[in-house]
Amino acid sequence: LQHAHSLADAQRIIEGATVFVSDILVVADGKTGQARVFEKSPARTAFYDVSESAALANELTTPVFADDLVNRSRIADSTTHQRLTRARELLNGLHQRVTPEGLAGLLRDKSGLGGKPLGWGNRNAIDGLIACHSVIIDVTSGQMWVAGWPNAEGAFVGTDVLATLEELARNRERADTNFVASASPPVIGPDNILVDGTWPRILAAREAADRAVAALKRRDPSVALEESQRVIANNPAFYLGHELKGRALFARGDKAAAKLELQKALAADPPYTSRRDDIEELINQCDVH
């Protein structure tokens, strides 16, 4: 695609390319303000033009792929549709006032549909605290902002890519080959969870969850119960602490208390159909006498 000079060029290259898995590509033309989304599988290619805005996740949305069984399964069983719908909600709220800072907030959104609290680390959220890269690009101005560690939480550092390339082209003999022009704004500050004391609590909850899981595996429900309480204390809106507490209580034979905790877990929107099915099955077992 580096050889494309227009959306038509890009489309020709994409349609002629061989892929081994399904891909979604967004091509934007900073000169015209046009953007096109391509959905491509090893056998088919579809596309649509962006009108005002578009949100994408891990699902193919064009009619061409409506009968694709893998895609339908992905939508039904994974977290893609929740994230896509939430992104659409947030984009609607940014209508006519999109800024780099606003998009950083979207990429860091940890809530469910309608703003429902999900705790920290829920894969149903746009920001499930697992991103290995998070980038904002203004194709028209040629500026981009890249988040620092951890995940999407660190400060986004801005670079004016076009200005950098133009300056280096004008001064080809320039000794300072590390010249980089700053974007505007040059930095978008870190997420609040890094500055308000939340991040250590998230890490503590993760470590306690790992210990609870290990305790359940070695059939030590007392330790699992104790550690699950730590998960809940540090990440109260997250489903996992309640699920682990329910499993620990179930292992101890306290099915009535286990059912209450498992129902709390289910109400907190655990990700993936398989996870929800497992919790529901355990709830049903709590009713067996």
Side-chain angles (χ1 to χ4, degrees):
L1 287 175
Q2 65 181 311
H3 302 293
H5 292 87
S6 65
L7 288 182
D9 283 350
Q11 181 164 338
R12 185 175 61 254
I13 293 168
I14 291 169
E15 289 178 336
T18 299
V19 298
F20 300 97
V21 295
S22 296
D23 294 307
I24 304 174
L25 303 97
V26 182
V27 182
D29 186 338
K31 298 184 293 294
T32 66
Q34 295 176 301
R36 189 167 294 165
V37 178
F38 295 90
E39 297 180 344
K40 187 173 179 63
S41 74
R44 295 180 282 186
T45 302
F47 69 89
Y48 60 91
D49 290 323
V50 175
S51 175
E52 293 193 344
S53 66
L56 291 81
N58 296 89
E59 61 187 86
L60 308 175
T61 61
T62 53
V64 169
F65 292 100
D67 62 345
D68 187 288
L69 295 179
V70 173
N71 189 52
R72 289 167 64 180
S73 175
R74 183 181 297 119
I75 294 171
D77 299 335
S78 74
T79 66
T80 175
H81 203 63
Q82 292 93 324
R83 291 182 286 111
L84 178 63
T85 306
R86 177 59 178 165
R88 187 66 265 168
E89 283 183 348
L90 295 172
L91 277 177
N92 290 343
L94 294 175
H95 184 64
Q96 298 291 335
R97 52 188 185 89
V98 175
T99 64
E101 294 89 344
L103 291 175
L106 186 155
L107 292 172
R108 290 167 171 166
D109 185 74
K110 300 167 183 63
S111 300
L113 302 182
K116 178 180 179 178
L118 297 179
W120 303 297
N122 193 315
R123 301 292 181 89
N124 282 330
I126 294 172
D127 184 7
L129 300 180
I130 59 169
C132 59
H133 50 261
S134 189
V135 182
I136 300 165
I137 302 175
D138 183 334
V139 177
T140 303
S141 71
Q143 298 184 111
M144 66 185 297
W145 296 261
V146 181
W149 183 91
N151 312 120
E153 318 317 314
F156 281 83
V157 178
T159 303
D160 191 320
V161 180
L162 286 184
T164 299
L165 294 175
E166 289 168 359
E167 177 65 17
L168 294 177
R170 284 194 298 267
N171 299 279
R172 294 182 182 277
E173 305 303 321
R174 185 185 181 119
D176 180 14
T177 56
N178 292 321
F179 170 81
V180 176
S182 294
S184 179
V187 175
I188 301 170
D191 189 275
N192 284 336
I193 66 171
L194 294 187
V195 297
D196 66 1
T198 299
W199 187 248
R201 292 175 57 196
I202 293 172
L203 297 181
R206 286 178 176 176
E207 292 168 358
D210 289 343
R211 293 192 295 268
V213 170
L216 287 171
K217 287 182 178 179
R218 65 174 184 268
R219 300 179 186 277
D220 189 346
S222 295
V223 170
L225 182 60
E226 182 179 336
E227 296 296 345
S228 69
Q229 297 277 32
R230 291 193 175 95
V231 179
I232 295 171
N234 284 292
N235 197 352
F238 193 36
Y239 77 93
L240 185 57
H242 296 289
E243 179 188 347
L244 292 171
K245 184 177 180 181
R247 290 184 180 279
L249 289 167
F250 185 88
R252 289 179 57 170
D254 192 345
K255 292 184 177 180
K259 181 177 179 179
L260 291 175
E261 290 299 323
L262 293 168
Q263 288 173 332
K264 290 179 183 178
L266 204 57
D269 290 348
Y272 307 110
T273 299
S274 59
R275 189 90 187 219
R276 294 189 293 273
D277 288 347
D278 286 346
I279 295 172
E280 289 178 346
E281 173 59 27
L282 197 55
I283 289 173
N284 292 333
Q285 291 182 38
C286 290
D287 293 327
V288 176
H289 300 288

